[in-house]
Amino acid sequence: YSGVEAGSWPKPKRLPKEDILVCMCAPGRGCGSSLVEEQETCINRRMFVRCCAKLCPCGKACRNKEFNLLKMPKLRPFLTKACGWGVRTKERIPKGAFVVEYVGEVVSDAECERRMWEAKSREEKNFYMMEISADKVIDARHKANISRLINSSCQPNCRSQKCVDASTGEVRVGIFALRDIEPNEELSYNYQFQHFAHEEELKTSFGCRCGAPNCIGTLDSTVKKREQVASFTGKMIRIKWTDGKFHLAKICGYNWQKQKYAVEYESGGTEEVNLDDPKGKIKYKFVKKPSSKKNTNASASASAKKGKGGSAGDKDDTIIVKGQDGKGDEENIPPKKEEEGRLLAIKAEIINPKC
């Protein structure tokens, strides 16, 4: 890269004095204190607003000033064994302290997408895009500072944080220490990478090589995945084996490194299976959780409508059949007479799952 970008986006105008947020810290206290813990009491800092250096009550002593006015710790780049270039600190950084601002070319969302497709066509593997608003993105590919080289980790010692300059309203991104960082320690934060392509076949997943004990093996954002894992855990499913039959099992957890669910079969034994395979190699059905409230009159009415052709299954007998997209449709499968007692036992387990 060729250095810090200046002027890729129109420089924001200074807000009128009455519109600038000014903290209420007394000189030497709050953002004017040398203690990071006390700096957190500054109302602007707590709202992720950077104080205006000219109006802050703490004056030059303010430690919540705009990023470009703050003193950075001494950092140095180095070549890692498996993750390309990285960054180490040459001095101790206390928890909560400012490390460096993430800078680069500020481009529109449309220009960002154009550049991403262009890079993908060249089979480029390195991306440095960071969204700062709905229509603005920082691209540190060609113009940046040392923050561009900070690697991702599943057990990071830093975090990225969007902040607003009180004097201009401009959104900027700073890197802050999550804990005390010792000299010569590598800096890292979690990228939470998000795909810009919507079609599954166009997405590119990036493997994580951080080596942390809790490494999940990918740089992809796990927010939605964690929600899915939480909703799946404890549920009962039927998994199709090679014998052609569906076997009842309970989802007990998720292995982030292997990206597989741990299941415990009713007949005994455990296994790790990939329930997210887009090709649908693993065939399975979710047993739908029964409703806690039952309408006695509705049940009696439904019983009266049963004909000679067999029993009409109620909604509690619904089994959700999962397709390749993981969503599927609901399929009403009336239980066989010999399986009715077993199905009721399954329903009881769903209400009080044990793993």
Side-chain angles (χ1 to χ4, degrees):
Y1 62 97
S2 58
V4 179
E5 163 67 5
S8 58
W9 195 269
K11 189 175 181 179
K13 294 181 179 180
R14 186 176 177 84
L15 297 172
K17 187 175 180 179
E18 59 271 17
D19 293 339
I20 298 175
L21 292 174
V22 180
C23 69
M24 299 179 288
C25 300
R29 305 295 297 273
C31 61
S33 173
S34 59
L35 301 175
V36 176
E37 295 81 2
E38 190 169 344
Q39 293 170 21
E40 296 293 338
T41 63
C42 172
I43 188 169
N44 273 4
R45 187 175 178 117
R46 293 175 70 177
M47 295 191 300
F48 306 112
V49 174
R50 308 308 297 182
C51 293
C52 173
K54 294 181 180 180
L55 300 179
C56 180
C58 296
K60 294 182 179 180
C62 176
R63 287 174 169 79
N64 188 50
K65 293 179 288 192
E66 296 96 328
F67 292 143
N68 60 302
L69 299 178
L70 291 176
K71 183 182 178 181
M72 281 175 46
K74 294 179 181 179
L75 309 175
R76 67 179 180 88
F78 75 103
L79 194 60
T80 68
K81 292 182 179 180
C83 303
W85 287 95
V87 178
R88 281 195 178 119
T89 175
K90 298 174 70 175
E91 58 185 84
R92 187 177 184 277
I93 305 174
K95 178 181 177 180
F98 170 73
V99 178
V100 65
E101 180 182 4
Y102 191 90
V103 300
E105 292 182 82
V106 181
V107 299
S108 66
D109 186 60
E111 174 62 15
C112 168
E113 186 167 348
R114 187 195 68 78
R115 293 186 181 192
M116 291 289 277
W117 281 116
E118 189 179 82
K120 194 173 182 69
S121 66
R122 296 196 304 266
E123 298 185 354
E124 198 166 320
K125 297 182 179 180
N126 299 313
F127 298 91
Y128 304 90
M129 306 286 192
M130 185 177 289
E131 185 182 69
I132 54 176
S133 66
D135 62 341
K136 293 180 183 178
V137 176
I138 297 175
D139 181 5
R141 174 66 181 88
H142 297 292
K143 296 180 182 293
N145 62 6
I146 197 171
S147 64
R148 173 187 188 272
L149 303 178
I150 299 177
N151 284 313
S152 179
S153 175
C154 298
Q155 194 173 346
N157 51 22
C158 296
R159 64 180 174 86
S160 61
Q161 178 62 58
K162 293 180 185 177
C163 296
V164 178
D165 278 359
S167 59
T168 62
E170 183 182 21
V171 179
R172 308 177 80 118
V173 179
I175 308 296
F176 296 85
L178 276 174
R179 57 171 174 79
D180 293 340
I181 305 175
E182 301 303 323
N184 294 319
E185 191 174 345
E186 182 180 0
L187 303 180
S188 62
Y189 64 96
N190 196 324
Y191 286 177
Q192 291 290 339
F193 181 81
Q194 294 185 357
H195 299 284
F196 74 98
H198 298 293
E199 295 80 2
E200 192 67 36
E201 63 273 11
L202 295 177
K203 291 182 178 180
T204 303
S205 184
F206 295 89
C208 181
R209 304 173 184 174
C210 69
N214 62 332
C215 179
I216 64 173
T218 178
L219 298 182
D220 297 353
S221 174
T222 60
V223 176
K224 291 184 178 179
K225 186 61 184 178
R226 290 183 189 279
E227 292 175 354
Q228 184 194 63
V229 170
S231 66
F232 278 21
T233 302
K235 287 188 175 180
M236 303 298 296
I237 60 172
R238 293 182 183 276
I239 301 177
K240 190 175 184 180
W241 284 9
T242 53
D243 59 6
K245 297 180 180 179
F246 282 92
H247 296 259
L248 186 66
K250 183 192 298 182
I251 300 176
C252 299
Y254 188 75
N255 187 321
W256 286 97
Q257 288 188 319
K258 296 181 180 179
Q259 297 186 36
K260 292 183 178 181
Y261 284 92
V263 298
E264 182 179 343
Y265 289 98
E266 186 186 53
S267 57
T270 59
E271 180 181 30
E272 289 185 343
V273 294
N274 182 6
L275 303 182
D276 301 318
D277 185 4
K279 296 182 180 180
K281 292 182 180 180
I282 303 295
K283 303 296 182 183
Y284 64 97
K285 306 174 182 178
F286 272 96
V287 180
K288 190 175 181 181
K289 185 176 180 179
S291 175
S292 58
K293 295 182 180 179
K294 292 188 177 182
N295 190 317
T296 307
N297 294 331
S299 299
S301 177
S303 300
K305 292 181 180 179
K306 292 178 182 178
K308 294 181 180 180
S311 62
D314 59 17
K315 288 186 178 180
D316 289 347
D317 298 329
T318 300
I319 292 179
I320 301 176
V321 181
K322 294 287 181 176
Q324 291 184 3
D325 58 359
K327 295 180 179 179
D329 301 317
E330 291 187 356
E331 179 181 337
N332 290 323
I333 305 177
K336 296 179 181 179
K337 289 184 178 180
E338 62 268 20
E339 291 183 350
E340 287 180 350
R342 188 182 182 193
L343 186 58
L344 290 173
I346 295 170
K347 293 175 183 177
E349 282 193 71
I350 296 172
I351 297 173
N352 298 300
K354 296 179 181 179
C355 183

